């Protein structure tokens, strides 16, 4: 039996919104990764921007049979990488084992908060 998931995922519409300073809620985005397999997955992100070189984030560990929410607003979860706010970008997620990826964003810059989530495009 094969393990569900794919090794390559693509999120073309990533955007870390303003934090909503002084507000009760913080604008943020997360890449949620699920590993239902019996082996740990080693995951890398590449961030693609319109006007600057790509940024690589390597060595994220997703333990076997576990879930992890990677906060793109949390440099400590990204090997120290600070993702710029209010700048559109895309994310390639590569894993050495099959995983499932979901992307979520909370935008608190509008009068009515916006929460969106999507399943990215994937390939093997």
């Amino acid at each position: 039996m094969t393990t569900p998931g794919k090794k390559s995922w693509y999120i073309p519409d990533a955007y870390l919104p303003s934090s909503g300073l002084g507000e009760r809620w913080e604008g943020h985005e997360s890449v949620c990764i699920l590993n239902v397999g019996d082996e740990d997955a080693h995951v890398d992100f590449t961030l693609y921007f319109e006007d600057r070189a790509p940024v690589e984030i390597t060595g994220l560990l997703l333990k076997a049979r576990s879930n992890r929410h990677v906060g793109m607003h949390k440099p400590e979860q990204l090997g120290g990488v600070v993702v710029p706010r209010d700048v559109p970008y895309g994310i390639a997620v590569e894993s050495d084992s099959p995983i499932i990826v979901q992307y979520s964003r909370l935008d608190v810059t509008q009068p009515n908060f916006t929460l969106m989530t999507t399943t990215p495009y994937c390939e093997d």
Side-chain angles (χ1 to χ4, degrees), residues 36-69:
V36 298
D38 293 326
E39 295 183 19
D40 292 350
H42 301 88
V43 182
D44 298 329
F45 290 1
T46 304
L47 312 183
Y48 294 93
F49 299 91
E50 184 175 313
D51 60 352
R52 60 189 89 179
V55 174
E56 294 187 9
I57 300 167
T58 60
L60 300 173
L61 177 65
L62 179 59
K63 294 193 178 260
R65 303 179 64 80
S66 73
N67 183 54
R68 183 171 177 187
H69 290 233

Side-chain angles (χ1 to χ4, degrees), residues 36-122:
V36 298
D38 293 326
E39 295 183 19
D40 292 350
H42 301 88
V43 182
D44 298 329
F45 290 1
T46 304
L47 312 183
Y48 294 93
F49 299 91
E50 184 175 313
D51 60 352
R52 60 189 89 179
V55 174
E56 294 187 9
I57 300 167
T58 60
L60 300 173
L61 177 65
L62 179 59
K63 294 193 178 260
R65 303 179 64 80
S66 73
N67 183 54
R68 183 171 177 187
H69 290 233
V70 180
M72 301 306 289
H73 58 297
K74 296 183 175 182
E76 66 274 13
Q77 294 183 5
L78 304 172
V81 171
V82 176
V83 176
R85 289 189 180 269
D86 301 317
V87 175
Y89 69 103
I91 307 170
V93 179
E94 301 287 339
S95 175
D96 62 354
S97 297
I99 59 173
I100 296 123
V101 175
Q102 180 179 349
Y103 170 81
S104 298
R105 177 189 312 146
L106 176 64
D107 186 346
V108 299
T109 62
Q110 305 299 316
N112 297 317
F113 295 173
T114 303
L115 175 65
M116 71 150 259
T117 186
T118 187
T119 301
Y121 174 81
C122 60

Side-chain angles (χ1 to χ4, degrees), residues 1-50:
M1 183 168 100
T2 61
T3 301
K6 301 286 183 181
K7 295 181 178 181
S8 299
W9 295 82
Y10 304 94
I11 306 163
D13 183 25
Y15 183 84
L16 181 56
S18 292
S19 64
L21 295 175
E23 301 287 337
R24 180 177 165 183
W25 301 95
E26 178 184 18
H28 65 273
E29 65 178 342
S30 294
V31 177
C32 308
I33 48 181
L34 173 65
N35 180 358
V36 298
D38 293 326
E39 295 183 19
D40 292 350
H42 301 88
V43 182
D44 298 329
F45 290 1
T46 304
L47 312 183
Y48 294 93
F49 299 91
E50 184 175 313

